[in-house]
Amino acid sequence: MKLQRKGYDMSCNRIAFYLFYDEYGIVDDYILYKLEQLKKSVKTIFVVSNSDLDKKNRRKLETVADVVYCRENMGFDVWAYKEALELYGYERLNNYDELILMNYTFFGPIYPFEEMFDWSETKSVDFWGISDHKAIVPNPYTGEGELPRHIQSHFIAVRSNMFNSLEFKTYWETMPMITSYDKSVLMHESRFTNYFNSKGFEYDVYCNSTDYESHYPTFVDIKETLIKSRSPILKRRLFFHDPLFLDANCVDLKSTMNYIENNTSYDVNLIWDNILRSTEPRVLLTNAEHHKVFPDIQENAFSGEVKIAVIAHVYYPEMLLELEEKIDNIPVEFDLYITTASEESQKWLIEHLSVKRCNKVEVRIVEENRGRDISSLMITCKDVILTGNYDLILRIHSKKSSLSRKNNANYYKNHIYDNLLNSQGYVSNLLSFLENNRRVGICVPDLVHYGYPTLGHAWFSNKQKAKEIARMLDIKIKFDENTPHAAYGTMFWFRPEALRKLFLHEWKWADFEVEPCDADGTLADVIERLIVYTALDSGFLCYNISNLDSISKTYVKLEYKYQKIMSKLSDADVLHQCYNLDKNSDEIHSRDNEIQLLKLQHYKHITSLSWKLTAPLRRARRIITETLKR
Amino acid sequence: MKRIAFYLFYDNDGIVDDYVVHKLSALKDFVERIVFISNSPLSVESEEKIKPVSSDVIIRKNIGFDVWAYKEALQWFGDELNNFDEALFLNYTFYAPIFPFSELFAWSERDDIDFWGITDHKEVIPNPFTGAGVLPRHIQSHFIAVKHSLFKTEIFKKYWANMPNIESYEDSILQHESRFTDYFSRHGFKYDVYCNSSLYSSDYPAFININETIIHRCPILKRRPFFHDPLWIDRNAIDLQETLNLVNAGSSYDINLIYRNLLRTTKPKDLATNISLLKIFDSFDAPKTRKDIKIAVIAHVYYPDMISEILTQIENIPNSYDLYITTASKESQMLIKEFLTKSDGHFSNFQVRVVEENRGRDISALLITCRDIVLDYDYELICRLHSKKSPQNNPNQALHFKKQMYNNLVGSRNYVSKLINFIDSDENIGFVSPPMVHIGYPTLGHAWFTNKPGAKKIASRLNINVPFDDFAPYAAYGTMFWFRPNALKKLFEEKWHWSEFSAEPSHNDGSLAHIIERLLIYTANDCGYKCYNVMSSDMAEQNYSKLEYKMQRVMSNFSNGLVQEQVNRLQLGHAMDGTSYLSLNVKLVRVLKYHLASNYPNLSAKLRNPYKKCVRIYTWIQRKIK
């Protein structure tokens, strides 16, 4: 495709070097879309992949790229560009007027790239970029000197007089090996602009930081950059960056996403496809604010064109009445499946059951009393989910308060029931929300923290086992560090497709622990924590849902606890308070994170005083065991 | 049955609230003689209040807690007691009668018991006060009735005669409350409890299962849960909002008696947390508001270019209203007047005033320039807003702050209708403001900043006696809010002078404006008005997700998610503060202790006893040396 502009044809004269990296080597559609759109203005696209590719993904890239070059992940983006330029050959670049170095770290084009290229053609500069970062003193990477103002390396365009210059070649030839993220910023990203500018090459920026107050407008003033500068890019990092940073800077990602969805032609599903796979669920929940509060009054009448099933595990038949009352709040017709523990309860339930708007009732008996409500769902009701007869399913069960801490158990139960089925109006609002947001695959009540020490620790002892089960089910979600985004209490609304992976597995009764079993770390506890992960892994969004009363109560209690804790720390700047205590997840480092952590733990262990003091004992034991063997 | 009641009273400020009078007058139907014993001096007004409902008033020094108050009263009465069939020992620590006393006394009129009570506490092992032995099951001392068959005996007289001096709260529990029941039941006297703990799951039903006891028609409601440490209430998932709802719905007890007492005596933030004073409104539909509410909007518009924005927000008020604008200069006044004359807003009148001096920002403009509006014009509701630009913050932060204020006070027509209806539905709601901003601002837990000492001074000048929150004030941070003029009367009646406010540009923490910002809710609580935080459901979604994450992140750095435990530990570590009065040795030992306790739980358990012994030897040597 050729674009005729201002009497001359620029589209033929650009070449783009596109850096690709993905932990699993998966090429998401946002990359293809971006490259397809780019192709309208660029003649040749050279893709350098810093990650391994399988055949399928390579093919995918090859549909839009002219060259695909897959290399070892060495030297970060800098060496990828360096190698690609060298392989392609500087002399062959002579055929082009403009050279673009760009990468995978942003979604786009939110607005057509042509707008931006049109703008660039009016500028007689030697190089340009989409966005830049203001100068910072002192340089945060070195602690001294200045981090100069620089065009960000996710998109730099260089005109022929510059890339044909000796300086350009020297720049790349003398580039040292890059061994860390910091070094890549110091040696390339923050150096490039100043290096060439000080040698007589002029530059300009499309979305210029001088128009904004913050240092990094495309990260901090995102919505403004879209409206004011019509910036064509949205950084990926916004979704998985430390929420404390976003919080400190009041970055409003949610309203930006709403803006993109309602005012531009960019398909936000491209974003979710990639982000769901690569972001810790709780970080995503916080940054994108996937929390909905529904009132009890109905905004619009619910159309009702939806097939609903309710799957209830009623272990305690005496709780039937309470459950029925709640289930009656579903405003449309549905099928009801009940599982229970014994034949007597089955008989009793069939006799006493009276639910409004219920088409069909089936009462099943679980074969074995193990795995609580989880096994009854996974095994006894497997067919209900897998047949594909339903659009939406509500999972609920009779949650009995154990005698100790009755208040707490009661509160927990009400928290869940009320946030799933508060009133007819509430459920109508919830159903219309799900109707209008097909991407949302599961809705869960928010984490209960009133009366439960869950905050920051809700993995309890289930994380290791959850990782094993996730591997078994091929769930590749990034695991939350401290508290998984999960359906605590295992009651939730879901689309059957969202949890298919979980139900396709042949669970056996023997997999579950025999009752009574109060310990943490059972398979049931682990699956409880994997339900949301499964939905996210299947490409669905998960929303927390609350009613007005519940959210106001939990908000007050949460705020108080937070205030109390923070009042004992030197100030309320959480970012600063957490800074020394935990590490930020960084996509580039993430592969090594776990190994590093283990190494660090091991190191701490062997250098600890107690370990050193007990060293003679160990030596003695070793000598004894060795002599005994002999 | 002829009864005598010994009623113990104590209040820090010597004020007798209406709940006491109500309780005693209800009791009067069943009790011949009520002896009112006050452990605190009483104000003249209070004494007058108490006279019609009590036969004798004894005002004594606050010595020996409740125990010695009873002991002295019994001594004073001597043998006269024998004229009665039953003696009641009760105190001020509960609200009653939630359900008629007649039910209670009807139940108690039986011959098989010698003493009885309303609530009891289960046996606890080990005794939490001594760390060893048993805290026996006991009738709680807030209400113990003793029949003639017991109080005529020598054992009863001996019990009181041998009562040792009570020097602490623990003493009073060990020597009396937890001892009384066990002592007399060992001597063969029979007792029963109206609201029996054996029917409940917790040790202390009147506190922990408070809602169940109400459902079972327990006639009393303890005061303590409402002002107790919210972290403890949280850990035990006690739903006090529900308690008040239950009382309101199920009994004829006037719930405002409770509020009036609590508002005066409880730390505002603790109270707001315990009874969840936050309302979240959606903006789905538009309910009708009462047509004749007299509403005024008082807005400080320092930047005249912001009048258009602020007016669009104000126009979300569904009723007609009077608009008062204050601004800094004559020129601004001109511009604003011009704008308002041309605008098609639905305000009935407007006035644009110029502040006399440019100091104190929006606070002085409200308290001085608009004093007459609040005091003299009898508006029912006033909405306070100002043009917020916050040039000191980055634009994102300022934008969010503005959103937090405007969206939660005048967000949309539907939202404001619901907000107005909410305030209108309860004349005791005197003040509503958005929750404290926390996104982008390091406020939570530290919002006193340096203003607490100054605030205490001003509070005593205004005669505001509400206890102060320890770590963070319950405040209308940002000074935008809705209020009833009467709720802030004390603040407006004070004659403020321009010179008291800091001149620009030294508008810093510690200035009078910042202090008053933090005193607004204290003033309203002091006047007996409830103060709510209000939020729109959209803002709640945002605020909640961010707050939850922050909390998770902070808590993940501690050994578990038990907030109370972690706060206690941090408090220990807090001893290392430069400001702490402890000597360096003590500090070092504490840090070591903290370190051991958190990192080597097994080791520290083993070391505990030897450590205690060492401490004992150490203190013994110290004493010897002296």
Side-chain angles (χ1 to χ4, degrees):
Chain A
M1 182 179 168
K2 283 188 175 184
L3 292 171
Q4 292 294 322
R5 281 191 227 113
K6 288 172 202 148
Y8 59 92
D9 174 16
M10 272 290 279
S11 67
C12 299
N13 296 329
R14 291 194 184 96
I15 178 167
F17 288 87
Y18 185 86
L19 171 76
F20 168 77
Y21 174 79
D22 180 76
E23 200 180 337
Y24 299 103
I26 297 171
V27 178
D28 281 314
D29 290 342
Y30 86 93
I31 289 175
L32 293 192
Y33 180 75
K34 185 167 32 169
L35 292 178
E36 274 163 16
Q37 295 299 309
L38 189 71
K39 193 77 183 166
K40 291 180 184 171
S41 314
V42 168
K43 190 180 171 193
T44 311
I45 295 178
F46 186 116
V47 175
V48 202
S49 169
N50 264 5
S51 52
D52 297 346
L53 294 170
D54 63 9
K55 191 172 175 182
K56 194 181 106 210
N57 285 306
R58 192 180 171 99
R59 278 285 136 73
K60 239 174 150 180
L61 282 174
E62 278 168 354
T63 55
V64 279
D66 299 278
V67 188
V68 174
Y69 168 55
C70 189
R71 63 188 284 278
E72 282 284 299
N73 186 15
M74 254 170 51
F76 290 80
D77 55 336
V78 190
W79 273 68
Y81 292 136
K82 177 180 151 83
E83 257 183 59
L85 285 170
E86 279 162 7
L87 280 173
Y88 193 77
Y90 286 103
E91 48 305 331
R92 274 170 78 195
L93 292 178
N94 286 334
N95 304 331
Y96 301 97
D97 298 320
E98 201 163 87
L99 157 81
I100 298 168
L101 303 174
M102 64 191 284
N103 66 23
Y104 66 102
T105 63
F106 61 90
F107 299 110
I110 310 296
Y111 302 108
F113 278 137
E114 287 92 323
E115 276 182 30
M116 176 183 73
F117 285 117
D118 277 351
W119 166 87
S120 77
E121 281 160 28
T122 64
K123 302 283 167 190
S124 58
V125 288
D126 304 302
F127 64 111
W128 59 279
I130 295 183
S131 67
D132 63 332
H133 194 293
K134 279 186 193 155
I136 303 182
V137 184
N139 188 332
Y141 293 96
T142 55
E144 55 185 24
E146 189 196 46
L147 183 80
R149 176 185 173 198
H150 59 273
I151 296 176
Q152 285 164 319
S153 64
H154 49 239
F155 189 105
I156 299 178
V158 182
R159 299 253 163 95
S160 61
N161 61 321
M162 184 165 129
F163 66 71
N164 283 326
S165 69
L166 287 171
E167 286 88 348
F168 192 74
K169 280 181 201 111
T170 333
Y171 179 86
W172 290 107
E173 270 164 17
T174 55
M175 182 63 69
M177 187 30 119
I178 306 292
T179 48
S180 71
Y181 175 72
D182 291 5
K183 236 178 167 180
S184 90
V185 173
L186 286 174
M187 295 311 299
H188 174 57
E189 177 155 39
S190 69
R191 180 165 156 249
F192 187 91
T193 309
N194 205 26
Y195 182 89
F196 289 104
N197 193 30
S198 64
K199 290 173 178 49
F201 297 99
E202 267 182 67
Y203 71 98
D204 206 343
V205 185
Y206 185 55
C207 174
N208 207 313
S209 68
T210 48
D211 299 337
Y212 298 88
E213 304 249 355
S214 69
H215 285 101
Y216 185 175
T218 44
F219 199 79
V220 177
D221 305 310
I222 23 172
K223 199 172 163 187
E224 256 192 298
T225 62
L226 293 182
I227 299 172
K228 211 161 100 181
S229 309
R230 289 181 71 83
S231 156
I233 66 167
L234 181 73
K235 288 295 284 180
R236 279 183 67 228
R237 175 166 282 282
L238 284 161
F239 292 87
F240 57 79
H241 197 65
D242 187 351
L244 297 182
F245 178 87
L246 266 63
D247 188 305
N249 291 284
C250 294
V251 179
D252 196 345
L253 187 57
K254 185 188 182 185
S255 75
T256 310
M257 284 303 285
N258 285 342
Y259 183 83
I260 292 175
E261 204 168 352
N262 299 328
N263 300 299
T264 74
S265 58
Y266 193 78
D267 181 6
V268 289
N269 286 318
L270 295 173
I271 299 178
W272 296 132
D273 284 338
N274 175 250
I275 287 304
L276 280 170
R277 201 169 58 70
S278 54
T279 306
E280 283 178 31
R282 196 160 276 283
V283 172
L284 176 64
L285 168 73
T286 312
N287 285 347
E289 293 162 35
H290 284 161
H291 193 143
K292 273 313 265 188
V293 176
F294 299 111
D296 292 321
I297 5 146
Q298 209 169 317
E299 190 178 32
N300 300 310
F302 176 62
S303 66
E305 280 302 310
V306 61
K307 277 175 286 170
I308 293 179
V310 175
I311 306 181
H313 182 58
V314 186
Y315 185 81
Y316 305 100
E318 65 270 27
M319 286 188 63
L320 181 67
L321 203 67
E322 192 178 354
L323 267 175
E324 276 175 355
E325 239 170 61
K326 283 290 163 194
I327 294 175
D328 277 341
N329 284 331
I330 300 175
V332 290
E333 294 195 339
F334 56 88
D335 292 349
L336 177 61
Y337 297 88
I338 292 185
T339 52
T340 188
S342 66
E343 258 174 63
E344 298 102 75
S345 357
Q346 185 193 29
K347 229 185 251 163
W348 191 92
L349 283 170
I350 292 173
E351 245 170 65
H352 291 83
L353 205 68
S354 74
V355 182
K356 287 182 224 158
R357 287 184 287 278
C358 174
N359 285 328
K360 157 182 149 188
V361 187
E362 226 182 283
V363 183
R364 302 177 176 186
I365 305 173
V366 296
E367 287 109 85
E368 289 184 48
N369 182 22
R370 25 166 75 189
R372 307 225 180 134
D373 58 293
I374 296 280
S375 55
S376 73
L377 178 67
M378 294 292 149
I379 304 178
T380 319
C381 299
K382 187 178 181 165
D383 58 311
V384 183
I385 286 97
L386 290 181
T387 47
N389 286 340
Y390 299 103
D391 302 323
L392 274 180
I393 298 178
L394 167 69
R395 170 56 174 174
I396 196 163
H397 55 88
S398 62
K399 194 167 168 60
K400 183 104 176 189
S401 355
S402 60
L403 216 80
S404 66
R405 293 209 178 272
K406 199 173 166 192
N407 272 345
N408 305 44
N410 239 338
Y411 179 84
Y412 197 169
K413 182 189 73 189
N414 289 337
H415 178 81
I416 292 177
Y417 284 0
D418 291 347
N419 284 329
L420 290 173
L421 297 162
N422 198 40
S423 64
Q424 278 207 33
Y426 179 80
V427 182
S428 295
N429 289 329
L430 172 62
L431 293 178
S432 343
F433 171 74
L434 285 168
E435 179 92 344
N436 298 330
N437 295 278
R438 297 285 168 162
R439 189 94 205 197
V440 180
I442 180 165
C443 286
V444 300
D446 52 280
L447 172 73
V448 71
H449 57 78
Y450 194 52
Y452 288 87
T454 48
L455 290 168
H457 294 269
W459 273 117
F460 296 114
S461 49
N462 302 300
K463 193 170 182 180
Q464 209 39 52
K465 197 160 173 197
K467 282 206 166 160
E468 282 159 28
I469 302 281
R471 207 168 302 135
M472 186 177 91
L473 297 174
D474 192 30
I475 294 172
K476 284 189 178 134
I477 284 292
K478 270 220 165 77
F479 268 47
D480 283 301
E481 198 75 30
N482 312 302
T483 291
H485 187 194
Y488 297 97
T490 52
M491 296 188 232
F492 46 93
W493 283 93
F494 69 105
R495 295 186 199 278
E497 317 92 77
L499 298 186
R500 230 182 138 72
K501 253 189 187 174
L502 208 55
F503 284 92
L504 278 175
H505 182 81
E506 290 286 339
W507 298 103
K508 292 184 197 66
W509 288 102
D511 296 340
F512 293 92
E513 284 76 2
V514 189
E515 291 293 330
C517 174
D518 288 329
D520 215 28
T522 64
L523 183 61
D525 289 319
V526 169
I527 292 179
E528 177 178 16
R529 283 160 179 77
L530 282 179
I531 288 167
V532 169
Y533 280 21
T534 313
L536 296 173
D537 184 74
S538 312
F540 287 93
L541 298 178
C542 171
Y543 266 73
N544 279 1
I545 49 171
S546 308
N547 67 60
L548 292 171
D549 291 336
S550 158
I551 190 78
S552 59
K553 201 171 279 180
T554 53
Y555 187 85
V556 169
K557 311 294 183 189
L558 180 64
E559 197 208 71
Y560 186 88
K561 281 187 273 200
Y562 184 72
Q563 294 229 38
K564 190 91 192 197
I565 277 282
M566 292 315 281
S567 73
K568 301 293 167 219
L569 304 175
S570 57
D571 64 35
D573 183 351
V574 239
L575 194 59
H576 159 238
Q577 296 293 354
C578 290
Y579 182 76
N580 293 323
L581 294 160
D582 55 26
K583 63 200 159 42
N584 295 342
S585 61
D586 200 303
E587 60 175 336
I588 297 166
H589 299 307
S590 61
R591 197 184 262 178
D592 314 318
N593 263 353
E594 267 170 59
I595 303 162
Q596 275 175 2
L597 203 69
L598 280 175
K599 274 185 184 163
L600 194 73
Q601 275 172 0
H602 180 68
Y603 177 77
K604 270 189 181 166
H605 190 61
I606 58 169
T607 50
S608 69
L609 187 64
S610 56
W611 183 261
K612 280 179 186 160
L613 283 175
T614 49
L617 285 176
R618 277 192 306 279
R619 200 172 304 143
R621 204 171 93 190
R622 200 169 56 229
I623 292 165
I624 291 165
T625 46
E626 271 166 20
T627 44
L628 280 178
K629 263 183 203 163
R630 267 180 227 150
Chain B
M1 197 175 254
K2 237 177 125 182
R3 294 192 182 92
I4 179 168
F6 296 95
Y7 186 83
L8 172 81
F9 176 78
Y10 176 80
D11 181 76
N12 220 0
D13 304 318
I15 295 172
V16 175
D17 280 313
D18 291 341
Y19 85 93
V20 175
V21 180
H22 178 81
K23 179 162 53 173
L24 292 181
S25 63
L27 199 64
K28 224 170 157 33
D29 298 342
F30 305 91
V31 175
E32 210 110 303
R33 195 158 173 185
I34 294 177
V35 184
F36 187 90
I37 317 159
S38 175
N39 267 3
S40 56
L42 293 182
S43 70
V44 186
E45 247 171 63
S46 299
E47 234 181 307
E48 286 305 313
K49 250 177 163 176
I50 219 66
K51 269 184 187 153
V53 286
S54 51
S55 334
D56 312 87
V57 177
I58 304 173
I59 295 169
R60 62 187 290 278
K61 272 195 184 158
N62 188 15
I63 294 171
F65 289 78
D66 54 337
V67 190
W68 275 69
Y70 294 135
K71 180 183 154 96
E72 279 178 21
L74 281 170
Q75 263 168 8
W76 189 58
F77 259 76
D79 289 338
E80 216 182 311
L81 205 60
N82 287 330
N83 303 334
F84 297 91
D85 302 318
E86 194 167 81
L88 310 179
F89 299 87
L90 70 163
N91 66 21
Y92 67 103
T93 64
F94 60 90
Y95 304 107
I98 307 299
F99 297 100
F101 278 136
S102 55
E103 294 172 17
L104 173 75
F105 287 114
W107 169 86
S108 77
E109 281 174 18
R110 32 199 266 227
D111 294 331
D112 59 334
I113 49 175
D114 303 300
F115 62 105
W116 58 277
I118 298 184
T119 65
D120 62 332
H121 195 292
K122 280 186 194 157
E123 182 180 85
V124 183
I125 305 171
N127 189 329
F129 293 96
T130 56
V134 183
L135 182 81
R137 178 186 172 199
H138 59 272
I139 296 175
Q140 285 164 317
S141 65
H142 49 242
F143 191 109
I144 299 179
V146 181
K147 298 204 173 198
H148 189 254
S149 57
L150 173 57
F151 70 66
K152 67 171 189 211
T153 61
E154 278 307 308
I155 301 170
F156 187 76
K157 280 171 198 147
K158 241 163 112 193
Y159 177 87
W160 289 107
N162 296 340
M163 183 62 70
N165 274 340
I166 305 291
E167 267 151 17
S168 67
Y169 175 70
E170 274 85 36
D171 270 1
S172 88
I173 291 186
L174 291 173
Q175 296 300 332
H176 174 59
E177 177 156 37
S178 70
R179 184 166 152 248
F180 188 92
T181 311
D182 191 47
Y183 182 87
F184 291 109
S185 81
R186 271 168 202 260
H187 281 89
F189 296 98
K190 297 271 177 300
Y191 72 96
D192 203 354
V193 185
Y194 184 62
C195 178
N196 205 310
S197 67
S198 59
L199 302 171
Y200 297 90
S201 54
S202 73
D203 290 342
Y204 186 176
F207 200 126
I208 294 170
N209 305 106
I210 187 163
N211 292 342
E212 279 174 80
T213 64
I214 297 294
I215 291 166
H216 293 150
R217 297 183 76 82
C218 175
I220 68 164
L221 186 67
K222 287 291 285 177
R223 281 181 68 229
R224 173 162 282 282
F226 296 96
F227 61 79
H228 199 64
D229 182 357
L231 293 182
W232 198 89
I233 301 284
D234 187 312
R235 183 71 191 105
N236 291 284
I238 301 169
D239 192 344
L240 294 168
Q241 193 186 36
E242 181 65 15
T243 312
L244 293 173
N245 289 342
L246 283 172
V247 172
N248 209 12
S251 107
S252 56
Y253 192 82
D254 179 8
I255 204 158
N256 291 319
L257 294 172
I258 301 177
Y259 281 130
R260 248 171 272 148
N261 174 243
L262 288 176
L263 287 168
R264 189 178 63 78
T265 54
T266 310
K267 290 172 188 162
K269 186 75 199 170
D270 287 6
L271 182 65
T273 307
N274 283 342
I275 62 176
S276 310
L277 293 180
L278 168 68
K279 265 312 244 193
I280 293 173
F281 305 105
D282 60 274
S283 37
F284 270 33
D285 62 335
K288 287 247 170 342
T289 53
R290 186 157 61 84
K291 273 270 150 55
D292 55 341
I293 310 181
K294 275 192 79 182
I295 294 179
V297 176
I298 307 181
H300 183 60
V301 183
Y302 185 83
Y303 308 97
D305 55 319
M306 288 182 79
I307 179 73
S308 140
E309 184 191 354
I310 206 167
L311 188 67
T312 343
Q313 293 288 340
I314 296 171
E315 281 290 294
N316 285 329
I317 296 173
N319 298 48
S320 69
Y321 59 92
D322 292 343
L323 180 62
Y324 298 91
I325 307 270
T326 51
T327 188
S329 65
K330 281 260 188 285
E331 299 87 73
S332 311
Q333 187 189 27
M334 282 272 291
L335 287 169
I336 292 168
K337 259 192 182 162
E338 203 177 315
F339 179 86
L340 289 177
T341 336
K342 279 187 200 150
S343 87
D344 53 354
H346 66 276
F347 43 83
S348 5
N349 302 299
F350 76 84
Q351 244 184 55
V352 184
R353 300 179 176 189
V354 181
V355 297
E356 290 104 89
E357 289 186 47
N358 184 23
R359 26 168 71 194
R361 301 233 176 136
D362 55 295
I363 295 282
S364 54
L366 178 66
L367 291 183
I368 305 180
T369 317
C370 299
R371 185 169 190 257
D372 55 320
I373 303 168
V374 177
L375 288 181
D376 309 334
Y377 291 12
D378 55 75
Y379 287 106
E380 284 177 71
L381 269 181
I382 298 179
C383 175
R384 169 60 176 168
L385 297 171
H386 53 89
S387 62
K388 180 111 193 141
K389 240 180 190 174
S390 319
Q392 72 271 24
N393 298 323
N394 86 35
N396 267 347
Q397 284 168 316
L399 199 71
H400 175 74
F401 202 123
K402 205 159 74 176
K403 230 170 99 188
Q404 177 82 347
M405 295 295 127
Y406 289 176
N407 285 14
N408 290 331
L409 288 170
V410 279
S412 68
R413 179 65 63 100
N414 295 358
Y415 176 81
V416 184
S417 306
K418 287 184 179 178
L419 178 63
I420 290 179
N421 278 347
F422 173 68
I423 307 175
D424 199 34
S425 70
D426 184 350
E427 57 180 18
N428 291 305
I429 299 171
F431 190 96
V432 302
S433 60
M436 188 164 287
V437 67
H438 60 80
I439 300 174
Y441 291 82
T443 47
L444 291 182
H446 293 265
W448 275 119
F449 296 115
T450 55
N451 301 299
K452 198 171 181 183
K456 284 215 158 148
K457 262 185 225 155
I458 299 290
S460 67
R461 171 170 150 196
L462 297 177
N463 192 23
I464 293 171
N465 297 315
V466 174
F468 270 41
D469 289 296
D470 298 320
F471 53 89
Y474 187 33
Y477 208 67
T479 53
M480 296 193 224
F481 45 87
W482 283 88
F483 70 108
R484 288 181 195 275
N486 276 339
L488 297 184
K489 217 171 169 173
K490 272 192 179 172
L491 207 56
F492 281 90
E493 277 175 345
E494 178 72 20
K495 291 249 183 218
W496 301 101
H497 296 287
W498 287 103
S499 56
E500 292 179 75
F501 293 93
S502 315
E504 297 290 339
S506 62
H507 182 74
N508 301 324
D509 262 319
S511 77
L512 184 60
H514 284 96
I515 288 168
I516 290 175
E517 178 176 20
R518 283 159 181 80
L519 277 181
L520 293 162
I521 288 182
Y522 289 82
T523 314
N525 272 12
D526 188 77
C527 296
Y529 284 95
K530 278 185 277 181
C531 301
Y532 272 86
N533 277 161
V534 287
M535 187 155 51
S536 76
S537 53
D538 298 344
M539 292 302 287
E541 288 165 6
Q542 185 183 27
N543 275 314
Y544 189 83
S545 345
K546 303 290 186 192
L547 182 61
E548 195 200 85
Y549 184 84
K550 279 188 274 198
M551 185 60 174
Q552 301 252 18
R553 189 61 179 272
V554 170
M555 289 312 288
S556 70
N557 287 308
F558 296 114
S559 58
N560 63 29
L562 291 164
V563 181
Q564 201 176 18
E565 186 180 319
Q566 299 305 337
V567 166
N568 290 344
R569 280 195 183 167
L570 283 169
Q571 232 149 3
L572 267 177
H574 219 58
M576 281 308 277
D577 263 6
T579 52
S580 174
Y581 57 90
L582 297 165
S583 72
L584 185 62
N585 284 342
V586 179
K587 280 181 185 175
L588 284 175
V589 171
R590 281 211 178 172
V591 169
L592 192 65
K593 239 160 76 177
Y594 169 66
H595 180 74
L596 277 173
S598 53
N599 294 319
Y600 309 96
N602 290 334
L603 182 66
S604 75
K606 280 170 199 154
L607 287 178
R608 199 164 292 141
N609 277 329
Y611 170 74
K612 275 184 183 164
K613 271 176 197 148
C614 290
V615 170
R616 225 170 286 155
I617 295 166
Y618 175 76
T619 44
W620 180 78
I621 294 170
Q622 288 272 316
R623 230 180 296 144
K624 282 281 152 185
I625 292 168
K626 270 179 192 168

